[in-house]
Amino acid sequence: MIDGRIKLRHIACFLEVASRSGFGRAAEALHLTQPAVSRAIAELEDIVGKPLFERGRGGAVLTADGRAFRTHAGAAFAELGRGIDRVKRPGGATGGEITVGALPTVAARIMPEAVKRAKETGLAASIAIEAGPNGWLIDQLKQGRLDLVVGRLAEPQVMMGLAFEHLYSEPIVFVARPGHPAATGRPTRLVDLAGYTLIMPGRGSIIRPEIDRLFILDGVAGTGDRIEATDPSFSRAYVRMSDAVWIISHGVVAGDLDDGTLVRLAMSSSASGGPVGLTTRAGQVPSPAVDLLMRAVREIARAL
């Protein structure tokens, strides 16, 4: 049973302070005084019996207990909001609003067709698509700010409290401009690319460990002339104007390969960027609107 002393104002203040890392900034966002927000947090900490924030000159930082509480409080607060919205919405069961997180590759490759198909089958909800890195999307989902994430399978410790449904695995590809000297159609070894500039995601990217592992397995000690880039528009432009080779997830360059502005090199070694699928909060029953969109995403993914 939930302690009856916990009020919505406690949760609203807690989530806002956690999001903005400060009592003053949270008070501004909530249109409250800072003492009122501080009092609400103090009351909440007294109820749960644990400190939820570490206070300092730089603001307020969640404690370990605070981080654990945030996951559940954010999801519960968001679910309550969705319940109220479902009762009030004019569009019936499939109306309202859906907020979906998607990797940039998924946002460009899958979501347009999925949204179109879902609307054709009765989806009346307004849809907000949030594109970003996988870790950020998962965090937003845990906080209840997203209804669904279409992205990669996260590490086991990150997936606690979440459920993942595998849709497909996306390969890592090596691409270059048409007419590139290495685009012979014959299998190319990694060592044969030593004379070219290699463009790859930075070390914080979810596929970077797989790329590094590929070089290690092929006995290539280093990658020589290398550019690390997170912006696909830079990598795309640079590869088209040079002999550089771009190492990236297939989904990022699928359109370029289809229209012939880039070509895929035949490599003697291959690697997968990992499973891509639907991530939801464990135990959460999707609303009819979210369920319609999930079905559409599955159908589009099966056709890849």
Side-chain angles (χ1 to χ4, degrees), residues 74-75 114 200 203 206 218 242 277:
M200 62 185 70
R203 295 193 179 278
I206 198 166
D218 269 29
S242 70

Side-chain angles (χ1 to χ4, degrees), residues 173-277:
V173 295
F174 290 64
V175 299
R177 63 170 178 81
H180 190 282
T184 62
R186 298 188 300 274
T188 300
R189 299 175 302 164
L190 291 177
V191 69
D192 296 330
L193 300 179
Y196 303 108
T197 299
L198 300 180
I199 304 178
M200 62 185 70
R203 295 193 179 278
S205 165
I206 198 166
I207 70 168
R208 180 56 186 272
E210 290 300 320
I211 294 174
D212 292 341
R213 191 174 296 115
L214 193 60
F215 278 85
I216 292 172
L217 289 175
D218 269 29
V220 179
T223 52
D225 183 8
R226 180 180 70 204
I227 297 175
E228 295 185 356
T230 57
D231 185 0
S233 60
F234 166 82
S235 303
R236 185 173 286 109
Y238 195 90
V239 167
R240 288 176 177 174
M241 65 184 292
S242 70
D243 279 344
V245 174
W246 186 10
I247 311 172
I248 194 65
S249 294
H250 179 267
V252 178
V253 292
D256 305 273
L257 297 174
D258 289 342
D259 62 27
T261 54
L262 292 177
V263 296
R264 180 175 178 176
L265 304 183
M267 301 299 298
S268 58
S269 301
S270 62
S272 171
V276 176

Side-chain angles (χ1 to χ4, degrees), residues 274-299:
V276 176
L278 303 169
T279 302
T280 55
R281 289 183 291 277
Q284 175 190 0
V285 178
S287 69
V290 172
D291 187 57
L292 264 180
L293 184 59
M294 290 173 66
R295 291 183 192 180
V297 170
R298 292 186 190 105
E299 291 174 8

Side-chain angles (χ1 to χ4, degrees), residues 126-191:
S126 61
I127 302 173
I129 306 292
E130 296 282 352
N134 206 68
W136 178 79
L137 294 175
I138 293 297
D139 185 57
Q140 294 295 296
L141 178 66
K142 286 185 173 182
Q143 293 179 43
R145 298 176 186 271
L146 297 175
D147 297 298
L148 168 72
V149 167
V150 190
R152 297 188 184 279
L153 175 63
E155 296 296 324
Q157 63 271 22
V158 177
M159 289 299 296
M160 290 184 63
L162 301 175
F164 181 81
E165 177 185 337
H166 179 258
L167 295 175
Y168 63 94
S169 293
E170 191 167 62
I172 293 172
V173 295
F174 290 64
V175 299
R177 63 170 178 81
H180 190 282
T184 62
R186 298 188 300 274
T188 300
R189 299 175 302 164
L190 291 177
V191 69

Side-chain angles (χ1 to χ4, degrees), residues 32-110:
L32 297 172
T33 65
Q34 185 169 334
V37 173
S38 297
R39 186 167 55 252
I41 297 302
E43 291 172 357
L44 180 60
E45 290 179 323
D46 182 62
I47 293 169
V48 300
K50 295 285 183 65
L52 301 175
F53 293 98
E54 292 179 359
R55 281 81 162 170
R57 290 185 178 181
V61 179
L62 286 166
T63 62
D65 290 315
R67 290 193 296 271
F69 185 74
R70 183 189 191 185
T71 298
H72 300 286
F77 201 72
E79 281 301 306
L80 178 60
R82 277 186 278 272
I84 294 172
D85 177 65
R86 189 179 299 186
V87 172
K88 295 171 63 177
R89 75 178 58 143
T94 60
E97 181 177 333
I98 301 173
T99 306
V100 182
L103 288 175
T105 56
V106 173
R109 190 182 183 197
I110 291 181

